Amino acid sequence: MKRRHFIKNAALSSAGLAVSGSIVGCADTPSEEKKISLAPTSKKATLPMVIATWHVIDATAKAMEILQAGGNALDAVEQGCRVEEANEKGQSVGKGGLPDRDGNVTLDACIMNKHGNCGSVVYLQNITHAVSVARKVMENTPHVMLAGEGAKQFAISEGFKIENLLTDASKKAWEKWQVEAKYKPIINIENHDTIGMLAIDKNGDISGACTTSGLAYKLGGRVGDSPIIGSGLFIDNEIGGCVATGLGEEVVKTVGSFLVVELMRQGKSPQEACEEAIGRIVNKPHSNFKDFQVGYIAVNKKGETGSYSIHQWFSMTKFQDGVNEQIQSDYFNKG
Ligand code: ASP
């Protein structure tokens, strides 16, 4: 994943659990920066289209391939997320994801379709394609969410392969972290971020998906916003969709993605809705927003998009009108 060039910034570090570095300071290489658009365009939106968190042009390209062939938005977001889950170099999702503080790679993912149906897995281990397990939960069980060993056994029963997800690179990073952190909750910035994707197919139907290995070096058992419907992801096919990345605890506290969709229902544009949802976090009395990052991307039924974050360096990848590009998000904390 090319987005993985991050800036260590002590001022943005958390005094508690590890907060991901690319969340607070993800930048691309200077040559890539030249290709980044700086603001959402006002061009008339066309369908089909797909957007994703961060710089994941291979993932959005895969999703668009499906959409252009007449495929539906649900298949597009699942297949798009799978590209990043299989990418061992990406240390934030699927195989190669950074582990928790005990060295276990644990995945969270969810998916939601045009009917408002959804599936989710939390604390899933040894299965690369968590997003596809989430889809199986939605389609083949009467439940919405499966956790831990139960989720793993369900995945095996559905034919998923057991794999070791801890790559040498992630193991090395974890070992280095242990030396530096002395296994204590101290200031620690890691390279981390969630892949969330929203697509509208040629019929105008919306689906979304979200997949992550969660915060690097989290406490064992920790679950973030990403698999929680309404927090990490929400779709209402009448209105639009939203996905979140960043410090999941803050997204959960404001039920962020549901909030963004509800704000669009009230008439706000995707951009205005994302900005107001970030406002709900940063304007809380005694908010310590300087210590963490949250970013939202959203799309409305017309295919208009928005993205906004607390701090600089959040971006969205958008494939629409034949252009697959990274768009730098506007942000709240301009100092
Ligand atoms: N939102 C994810 C979580 O809190 C982390 C991320 O976006 O990197 O688990």
Side-chain angles (χ1 to χ4, degrees):
M1 249 179 268
K2 291 182 185 131
R3 65 183 185 280
R4 317 229 170 252
H5 170 80
F6 65 92
I7 298 163
K8 292 203 172 199
N9 184 342
L12 292 173
S13 54
S14 160
L17 291 172
V19 177
S20 59
S22 59
I23 285 173
V24 292
C26 177
D28 286 277
T29 59
S31 63
E32 283 170 333
E33 273 168 14
K34 284 189 209 127
K35 293 182 218 146
I36 298 174
S37 306
L38 287 177
T41 60
S42 54
K43 269 190 305 183
K44 199 177 173 307
T46 62
L47 305 179
M49 58 81 64
V50 57
I51 55 173
T53 51
W54 304 109
H55 183 197
V56 288
I57 52 170
D58 293 345
T60 46
K62 180 73 199 171
M64 184 51 80
E65 188 187 310
I66 289 161
L67 294 167
Q68 269 167 350
N72 63 48
L74 186 68
D75 289 338
V77 293
E78 181 193 3
Q79 293 302 321
C81 285
R82 282 174 66 100
V83 169
E84 292 302 326
E85 288 178 335
N87 175 6
E88 290 188 26
K89 289 195 189 123
Q91 291 184 302
S92 64
V93 300
K95 200 163 189 172
L98 290 170
D100 66 15
R101 58 186 54 207
D102 303 319
N104 300 312
V105 180
T106 70
L107 307 180
D108 297 334
C110 71
I111 196 159
M112 193 161 187
N113 71 11
K114 64 178 178 180
H115 302 299
N117 291 327
C118 47
S120 150
V121 286
V122 307
Y123 200 75
L124 177 69
Q125 294 184 63
N126 299 110
I127 309 277
T128 299
H129 292 299
V131 72
S132 296
V133 184
R135 182 169 177 175
K136 294 283 185 198
V137 172
M138 173 174 81
E139 292 178 343
N140 296 351
T141 81
H143 309 305
V144 162
M145 191 179 266
L146 291 181
E149 189 55 27
K152 183 170 157 182
Q153 290 308 322
F154 168 72
I156 293 168
S157 76
E158 289 285 340
F160 288 83
K161 246 193 5 224
I162 289 290
E163 285 178 84
N164 173 27
L165 303 184
L166 189 64
T167 55
D168 289 345
S170 291
K171 191 165 177 233
K172 236 182 232 160
W174 171 60
E175 283 163 356
K176 189 164 170 234
W177 170 80
Q178 283 178 295
V179 174
E180 285 170 5
K182 298 193 172 56
Y183 215 73
K184 284 184 192 143
I186 60 164
I187 289 172
N188 208 327
I189 295 198
E190 271 77 33
N191 183 9
H192 216 266
D193 31 49
T194 290
I195 300 306
M197 193 175 276
L198 304 167
I200 311 184
D201 57 33
K202 69 173 180 11
N203 297 325
D205 290 321
I206 311 169
S207 289
C210 191
T211 183
T212 189
S213 49
L215 295 183
Y217 319 130
K218 59 198 174 185
L219 287 175
R222 182 263 184 189
V223 171
D225 61 311
S226 306
I228 299 178
I229 298 297
S231 291
L233 168 72
F234 196 71
I235 302 293
D236 182 326
N237 199 36
E238 298 293 306
I239 306 297
C242 176
V243 282
T245 183
L247 187 64
E249 283 74 1
E250 295 299 323
V251 176
V252 169
K253 285 178 205 169
T254 49
V255 200
S257 292
F258 181 73
L259 174 61
V260 169
V261 173
E262 286 305 297
L263 290 167
M264 291 194 290
R265 187 192 305 281
Q266 290 165 21
K268 298 220 183 292
S269 70
Q271 185 61 32
E272 289 165 341
C274 289
E275 289 179 20
E276 186 164 336
I278 290 292
R280 295 283 175 98
I281 297 172
V282 299
N283 294 325
K284 276 183 187 169
H286 314 298
S287 172
N288 60 334
F289 69 85
K290 291 208 162 131
D291 293 341
F292 60 83
Q293 172 72 307
V294 170
Y296 292 110
I297 64 168
V299 66
N300 66 14
K301 189 73 177 163
K302 290 188 265 184
E304 296 163 339
T305 61
S307 70
Y308 198 68
S309 56
I310 300 176
H311 303 287
Q312 202 172 7
W313 300 121
F314 175 55
S315 62
M316 142 174 103
T317 303
K318 169 150 112 173
F319 202 153
Q320 190 169 32
D321 299 318
V323 182
N324 191 12
E325 62 177 346
Q326 182 183 16
I327 296 171
Q328 197 68 59
S329 293
D330 194 9
Y331 56 96
F332 172 78
N333 186 22
K334 299 211 166 98

